[in-house]
Amino acid sequence: MRQWIFLFPLLAGSIFLCACAAPAPEGERGLFSWEDSALEEEGRQELFGWMRDRELTVLYQSVPEDCPAETLEGFLTEAAENQIAVYLLTGDPDWGLDPAGEAMTEEVLRAAAWNQEFPEGVGFQGVLMDTEPYLTSSWEEDPEDVMEAYVDGMSQAAACAREKDLEYVACIPYYYDTLELEEPLERLFQEGCTGAAVMNYYRENEAEHIRAEAELARAAGRSLTVIYELQPPGVHGLTEKNTYYEEGVEALLDSWHRLQEELGPQGLSMAVHEYQWAKDVWTLE
């Protein structure tokens, strides 16, 4: 998600790469955080206080493999005390090329192993898999085959997550359905996740961008998280049309309310990307 670029500039002039999220309860608001410093005592106190003041109750947090167990336990304990659901935020484009889903399954097992170490009620609610196969050279050669391999791998990891009593959220771009990939996309919702998150990175026709995904999610009984961008133009190729950095959070929330009115609120939640820049934009009066 931090390294996405634009791959399909000719597709209606508005197809941009996206990132992914977890199935939050309907209407919930979430936050993406890539900062390791948020795991430390001082950082997490600031993070959870900031989230509480803005009524954000779902956190997608990146955690390095070498994070000390005591640090992570303290982080997750404080999250539980603040009634914040935490998902392990992880993924790599190349993981989507493996139909066995070995690396993605390993991340599920990593979250499950940590959960076993911690007291009851302290742990990850699930995994948000930010795997972006469209960033690989293989996608350029044969997107259909890559998409099939990606869905196969996601299905394997999702099955493991269900066995471990974890949510498994697919992070997807909003344009798969425009690339004649409707069938594997439908299978992804049916077999490869317990919920999905779509980065709606274009400030026009936002409801139409995710209408197909909302319909597929509802048909499969999955929740759908709509992710809004708050990084500034120029970062990772973003333009002012892709982000609410300059428009502000009031405009972002207006968009969210309109989207709910157009698509209906059933199964929908929202999240913002990401904490580092959201602190600059989402100020309180």
Side-chain angles (χ1 to χ4, degrees):
M1 198 181 318
R2 292 170 293 181
Q3 299 176 350
W4 64 270
I5 58 173
F6 301 111
L7 294 180
F8 303 97
L10 299 180
L11 292 175
S14 64
I15 291 187
F16 299 91
L17 290 189
C18 317
C20 44
E26 185 175 303
E28 288 285 342
R29 298 177 180 179
L31 174 70
F32 281 78
S33 171
W34 293 99
E35 297 300 314
D36 294 350
S37 60
L39 301 168
E40 303 295 336
E41 184 173 358
E42 183 177 350
R44 66 184 182 238
Q45 289 178 356
E46 178 185 358
L47 168 64
F48 295 139
W50 190 90
M51 291 182 68
R52 185 174 57 249
D53 290 344
R54 289 152 185 84
E55 300 181 337
L56 303 175
T57 58
V58 181
L59 177 66
Y60 310 109
Q61 176 66 49
S62 174
V63 180
E65 290 187 12
D66 61 354
C67 179
E70 59 271 21
T71 298
L72 185 56
E73 182 177 354
F75 176 84
L76 292 171
T77 298
E78 195 160 336
E81 291 170 351
N82 284 276
Q83 298 183 313
I84 292 173
V86 181
Y87 292 77
L88 175 62
L89 173 59
T90 184
D92 184 277
D94 287 338
W95 296 355
L97 303 180
D98 176 17
E102 291 186 5
M104 295 188 287
T105 299
E106 283 297 319
E107 292 298 277
V108 172
L109 294 174
R110 181 161 71 109
W114 271 326
N115 281 2
Q116 289 184 336
E117 292 188 36
F118 304 146
E120 185 176 354
V122 174
F124 292 103
Q125 185 161 329
V127 174
L128 191 151
M129 186 54 65
D130 180 21
T131 298
E132 302 164 292
Y134 39 80
L135 293 178
T136 67
S137 58
S138 297
W139 179 273
E140 298 176 9
E141 297 169 3
D142 195 335
E144 291 83 4
D145 279 359
V146 170
M147 186 68 175
E148 292 291 347
Y150 163 68
V151 175
D152 286 344
M154 288 289 287
S155 298
Q156 294 294 326
C160 179
R162 293 185 183 97
E163 291 177 1
K164 300 298 182 180
D165 198 26
L166 288 168
E167 300 285 354
Y168 188 72
V169 183
C171 183
I172 59 174
Y174 69 78
Y175 58 76
Y176 278 147
D177 59 305
T178 70
L179 302 179
E180 299 182 356
L181 297 172
E182 295 91 339
E183 290 187 9
L185 181 61
E186 181 178 6
R187 186 162 67 89
L188 176 67
F189 277 93
Q190 294 285 346
E191 303 174 6
C193 67
T194 61
V198 183
M199 274 206 157
N200 225 355
Y201 273 3
Y202 199 72
R203 291 191 293 103
E204 288 181 6
N205 303 319
E206 286 167 312
E208 291 306 314
H209 288 166
I210 64 164
R211 186 176 296 278
E213 288 76 11
E215 292 173 354
L216 289 172
R218 288 167 180 167
R222 311 296 186 221
S223 59
L224 191 73
T225 299
V226 182
I227 307 172
Y228 287 91
E229 182 61 90
L230 285 176
Q231 293 185 104
V235 174
H236 304 311
L238 289 166
T239 73
E240 62 180 13
K241 280 290 188 181
N242 309 127
T243 174
Y244 279 86
Y245 181 82
E246 295 175 349
E247 298 295 311
V249 172
E250 184 175 353
L252 184 157
L253 294 177
D254 285 344
S255 167
W256 168 234
H257 294 318
R258 289 195 307 271
L259 190 149
Q260 289 176 293
E261 290 175 357
E262 292 187 47
L263 297 180
Q266 179 188 357
L268 290 181
S269 62
M270 63 88 75
V272 294
H273 183 268
E274 54 89 33
Y275 178 47
Q276 176 185 358
W277 295 104
K279 287 187 291 185
D280 290 348
V281 180
W282 200 330
T283 57
L284 298 177
E285 298 298 333

